[in-house]
């Protein structure tokens, strides 16, 4: 889960999220909200994402500012759950 959080939050291509689904939602003003362990146990879900599923949350009053922040300064808005996983990854990572 820590690696997944880092992949979605921290791995970038030209400053934007490396994952195309994450990039789509973040460009549209969402918040990287929750990572669900074994959220997709279908064969395709296991093969594509080790069964993990991600929720993006749209706070309608914040979508325009979140989108502008991401597009202008490439900053990802994320929940406390995701940020805690990112911090744990960074503490334990050899990268």
């Amino acid at each position: 889960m820590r690696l997944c959080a880092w992949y979605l939050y921290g791995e970038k291509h030209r400053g934007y999220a490396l994952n195309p689904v994450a990039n789509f939602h973040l460009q549209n003003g969402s918040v990287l909200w929750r990572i669900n362990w074994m959220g997709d146990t279908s064969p395709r879900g296991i093969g594509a994402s080790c069964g993990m599923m991600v929720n993006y949350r749209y706070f309608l009053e914040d979508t325009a500012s979140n989108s502008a922040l991401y597009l202008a300064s490439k900053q990802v808005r994320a929940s406390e759950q995701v940020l805690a996983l990112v911090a744990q990854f960074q503490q334990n990572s050899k990268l």
Side-chain angles (χ1 to χ4, degrees):
M1 297 235 339
R2 293 185 300 254
L3 183 59
C4 180
W6 177 253
Y7 170 67
L8 295 170
Y9 181 84
E11 289 298 319
K12 307 289 177 138
H13 175 68
R14 296 183 179 159
Y16 297 107
L18 184 60
N19 181 274
V21 174
N23 193 47
F24 170 82
H25 286 289
L26 295 168
Q27 284 184 23
N28 287 302
S30 74
V31 175
L32 180 54
W33 191 251
R34 184 172 49 208
I35 299 172
N36 305 291
W37 176 254
M38 300 307 281
D40 185 356
T41 58
S42 69
R44 183 171 186 221
I46 296 293
S49 63
C50 299
M52 286 186 242
M53 185 177 281
V54 178
N55 296 114
Y56 295 91
R57 188 164 179 187
Y58 289 85
F59 294 96
L60 296 181
E61 65 277 3
D62 297 328
T63 55
S65 60
N66 289 349
S67 177
L69 182 69
Y70 181 69
L71 293 171
S73 61
K74 300 167 177 80
Q75 292 183 26
V76 174
R77 293 281 322 264
S79 70
E80 292 295 321
Q81 184 236 21
V82 173
L83 293 175
L85 289 168
V86 167
Q88 291 171 16
F89 172 82
Q90 290 174 319
Q91 288 173 350
N92 298 318
S93 175
K94 305 278 192 243
L95 297 178

